[in-house]
Amino acid sequence: QVQLAESGGDSVRSGGSLRLSCTASGFSLNHYTIGWFRQAPGKEREGISCIAGSDGSTVYAHSVKGRFTISRDNAKNTVYLQMNSLKPADPAVYYCATDLSITIQSLTSSCNLGAQYDEWGQGTQVTVSS
């Protein structure tokens, strides 16, 4: 079976750090583009960071650039999102997703819009207290 599973969500203090994991089952992550997205109450889904399966290039949303880092561990079939300097605006349900159909042509535009990602995890909750 093909699925993605997020983990690592927790409640942290403002300025703290957290690392989210996205582990794939049924397929190898190294051949696919993986993206991290978040959805906060009353807000639109936001693309956080994506890593290309072709050359490993990465993109980041302006809101997290310089604070968050996406990485891939092929041996563990896992993609990570390291989140540092967390802010009160960061709380949300975080999702990882992949483009199993391999339709993404623009990493930046697809990550920003959350389009063309057709396999999604269940999400993990991140809470930040002041």
Side-chain angles (χ1 to χ4, degrees):
Q1 56 184 13
V2 175
Q3 63 178 349
L4 295 172
E6 303 98 333
S7 63
D10 204 350
S11 178
V12 299
R13 299 298 300 272
S14 179
S17 298
L18 201 61
R19 188 177 74 167
L20 305 183
S21 299
C22 175
T23 300
S25 298
F27 70 102
S28 296
L29 280 178
N30 62 303
H31 296 300
Y32 298 91
T33 296
I34 305 296
W36 281 100
F37 304 84
R38 68 185 182 188
Q39 180 76 57
K43 297 184 178 181
E44 296 182 336
R45 185 175 64 192
E46 177 185 16
I48 299 301
S49 181
C50 298
I51 182 168
S54 57
D55 59 3
S57 60
T58 59
V59 296
Y60 295 90
H62 177 72
S63 61
V64 304
K65 190 173 184 179
R67 298 189 297 120
F68 292 8
T69 302
I70 190 171
S71 62
R72 186 195 305 268
D73 187 333
N74 292 329
K76 297 181 179 179
N77 208 25
T78 298
V79 171
Y80 301 99
L81 183 67
Q82 179 66 48
M83 305 185 293
N84 298 325
S85 302
L86 286 163
K87 302 177 180 180
D90 293 325
V93 176
Y94 284 71
Y95 301 89
C96 69
T98 189
D99 174 30
L100 287 179
S101 60
I102 315 179
T103 59
I104 293 175
Q105 297 184 45
S106 174
L107 184 66
T108 300
S109 61
S110 63
C111 190
N112 183 45
L113 298 174
Q116 303 179 65
Y117 288 84
D118 48 28
E119 185 67 31
W120 294 76
Q122 81 287 349
T124 185
Q125 179 71 53
V126 173
T127 301
V128 180
S129 60
S130 59

